[in-house]
Amino acid sequence: MEKVTIRQAAPADADAIADFHVRAWRQTYRDLAPPEICTALDETRRRSTWRERLTANDPDQIVLLAELEGRPVAIGAAGAPSAGIFGDLGEIKNLYVDPDVKRQGIGRLLFSRLALHLRERGFPGVGLGVVDGNEPAIAFYHALGGKRAGEYMDAGPIWRSRNIVFVWADSLVL
């Protein structure tokens, strides 16, 4: 892995994270989401969301930022479950890696750190939802030992997507 640093994100990182998130999201879902949705989920909308998330006083939540030479190359976020299908599991809510640095272990490292945080917060395991059709992410979560545990409709901010739930028991997370 190149000289990538991973750190907990701070409120001052909101703009950089939002810009990275929009680029990564558009690339990931360009063939899955309607084009008007890719346009509508812009930096302004994401900046507001990330500012709110990074200033929240929520001890269950963590946002990690991976940087290469000061530029964001991956983000990860986790916290309490956002949908009933996750039950009492902690939820990984975001995990995006720049395609230019994929397959270098950054995603795996982010996942491990997010899962460790959730375990330290007392969650009995980890769950996440991945958009049905996002085959690279599905393969990645299978490779990490995730087990398919159901499906649900994610209302999202403006796009309803069918998601597959993956779960990891506490002993499989790290």
Side-chain angles (χ1 to χ4, degrees), residues 90-111:
E91 180 186 0
I92 293 180
K93 299 167 187 283
N94 301 100
L95 184 58
Y96 291 97
V97 178
D98 185 318
D100 292 339
V101 297
K102 280 190 176 178
R103 306 193 77 64
Q104 294 184 34
I106 298 167
R108 183 178 291 271
L109 186 56
L110 276 176
F111 180 92

Side-chain angles (χ1 to χ4, degrees), residues 25 34 51-52 65 71 92 129 133 150 167:
W25 195 95
R51 280 186 191 122
E52 186 177 307
L65 175 61
R71 138 184 106 85
I92 293 180
V167 298

Side-chain angles (χ1 to χ4, degrees), residues 70-94:
R71 138 184 106 85
V73 293
I75 57 172
S82 63
I85 194 158
F86 295 110
D88 60 355
L89 299 176
E91 180 186 0
I92 293 180
K93 299 167 187 283
N94 301 100

Side-chain angles (χ1 to χ4, degrees), residues 28-76:
T28 300
Y29 299 111
R30 68 181 177 267
D31 296 327
L32 298 172
E36 64 273 12
I37 299 301
C38 288
T39 301
L41 286 170
D42 63 4
E43 289 83 353
T44 301
R45 184 182 293 268
R46 292 291 189 199
R47 282 185 187 117
S48 173
T49 301
W50 283 106
R51 280 186 191 122
E52 186 177 307
R53 189 180 283 184
L54 290 168
T55 57
N57 186 18
D58 180 354
D60 288 337
Q61 178 179 267
I62 187 170
V63 177
L64 298 176
L65 175 61
E67 297 172 305
L68 176 62
E69 298 175 0
R71 138 184 106 85
V73 293
I75 57 172

